[in-house]
Amino acid sequence: MRKLLQSCVILSLCLTGVASAGGHEKFVSYEVNGKAFQAYVAQPASAPKGKVFIVHDWDGLTDYEKKRADMLAELGYQAIALDLFGVGAKLEGFEDYRREAGALYGNRAEFRARLNAAISAASATFDADLKEILIGYCFGGAAVLEAARAGLDLDGFVSFHGGLGTPEGQDYSATTGPVLLLHGSADPVSGMDDLAAVLNQLQEANIPHGAEIFGGARHSFTIEGSRDYDQAAEQGSWNAFMRFLKDNIGS
C-alpha cells in the first residue's frame, strides 16, 4: 500500500482480537467523524502473500463476507472485510438496506470518504508494504468501481456482479490498477450495455481491464441461498479472481 486520497475524515484506530480456531482473526475498529465502524480481519497462518479488501453487499458486513475473508486467509492472503455502514446501522430488511446503500449512492463524497477511511484503517494496522486488491459483491462491486474512479491507490479492483453505472462527471482516468469485471449475462440490474460502457471507458482511459461473462447468470449469482445463485458461475468467477490475484500479487 502506498498512499490513499486525502480526506476530511477524523480517524481513530483500535485493534481487538476474537476467539477463533486458528487464533488469527481480528477486528479493526475505527471512527469516521464520530461514527463507529468495524472491519473483520482474517490472517493467514504464515507470512501473507498480499492483502485483499472485501466490500459487502447492501445488507452490510455479514457472515458471507467473513467467510470469503476466511477462504482467502486459508489461501495465504491477509483479508479484511470492510464496513461501510457503521456498527450502529439498522439492517433488518429491504427498506433498511435500501436506505443505507441509497445514502451513499446519493452522496458520492461520503461514499469515497468511507472507502478511503476503511482501507486506511486496515493499511495502517497491518503490513503496509503488501500489494493490495479491492473486491466486492453486488453493492460492494459498485463500491469497488467507485474506489477505482476515485483514484484510491491500490493494485487491482474486482467487481462480482456489481452495479456498473458511471455517475455523471466521473471517469476512470485516475484509476491506479487493473480492473476485472465478473458478471452474469442475464443480470437485470446492470445489463450487457452497461458492461460494454464500462469496458469502453476503461479502454479510453488506458486502464488494464478484463471481464468474464457467465451466460444466463443473474444478479446475485455468488450468493448461495438466493434465487439467483448459480454454482457454476460462482466457481467460475472465483477461479477468475484467483488468476487475477496470481497475476497482480503473485503466488
Side-chain angles (χ1 to χ4, degrees), residues 116-239:
N116 189 37
I119 294 170
S120 294
S123 290
T125 309
F126 300 105
D127 300 319
D129 60 336
L130 294 173
K131 288 188 175 181
E132 298 177 338
I133 303 295
L134 180 65
I135 74 169
Y137 295 84
C138 294
F139 165 81
V144 165
L145 298 182
E146 186 71 30
R149 294 188 298 267
L152 268 67
D153 196 2
L154 299 168
D155 297 291
F157 304 85
V158 182
S159 170
F160 290 82
H161 47 79
L164 301 179
T166 301
E168 185 175 355
Q170 290 193 15
D171 59 38
Y172 289 90
S173 60
T175 300
T176 60
V179 176
L180 175 63
L181 305 172
L182 303 170
H183 215 71
S185 68
D187 191 323
V189 176
S190 289
M192 293 297 95
D193 289 345
D194 296 316
L195 178 63
V198 174
L199 294 174
N200 284 333
Q201 291 163 28
L202 289 165
Q203 180 65 29
E204 290 169 2
N206 199 31
I207 302 301
H209 60 279
E212 293 210 19
I213 311 305
F214 302 96
R218 291 177 57 82
H219 184 55
S220 302
F221 62 77
T222 68
I223 311 299
E224 191 170 359
S226 77
R227 66 179 183 178
D228 291 345
Y229 178 66
D230 184 319
Q231 185 177 28
E234 179 200 7
Q235 189 59 57
S237 65
W238 186 258
N239 291 342

Side-chain angles (χ1 to χ4, degrees), residues 24 43-49 73 76-77:
H24 301 295
Q43 293 275 37
S46 57
K49 302 174 183 178
Y77 298 95

Side-chain angles (χ1 to χ4, degrees), residues 89-111:
K90 179 185 175 185
L91 297 168
E92 298 176 358
F94 179 86
E95 292 302 324
D96 295 331
Y97 309 154
R98 183 165 63 178
R99 180 192 64 249
E100 295 296 327
L104 295 183
Y105 284 139
N107 185 343
R108 296 285 170 161
E110 178 69 13
F111 202 170

Side-chain angles (χ1 to χ4, degrees), residues 61-122:
L61 177 53
T62 69
D63 287 343
Y64 179 84
E65 292 80 23
K66 293 176 184 178
K67 176 184 175 182
R68 293 293 184 185
D70 291 340
M71 291 168 64
L72 286 163
E74 288 291 326
L75 294 170
Y77 298 95
Q78 190 177 74
I80 303 97
L82 306 179
D83 172 20
L84 296 190
F85 293 163
V87 296
K90 179 185 175 185
L91 297 168
E92 298 176 358
F94 179 86
E95 292 302 324
D96 295 331
Y97 309 154
R98 183 165 63 178
R99 180 192 64 249
E100 295 296 327
L104 295 183
Y105 284 139
N107 185 343
R108 296 285 170 161
E110 178 69 13
F111 202 170
R112 294 180 175 198
R114 292 191 189 182
L115 282 162
N116 189 37
I119 294 170
S120 294

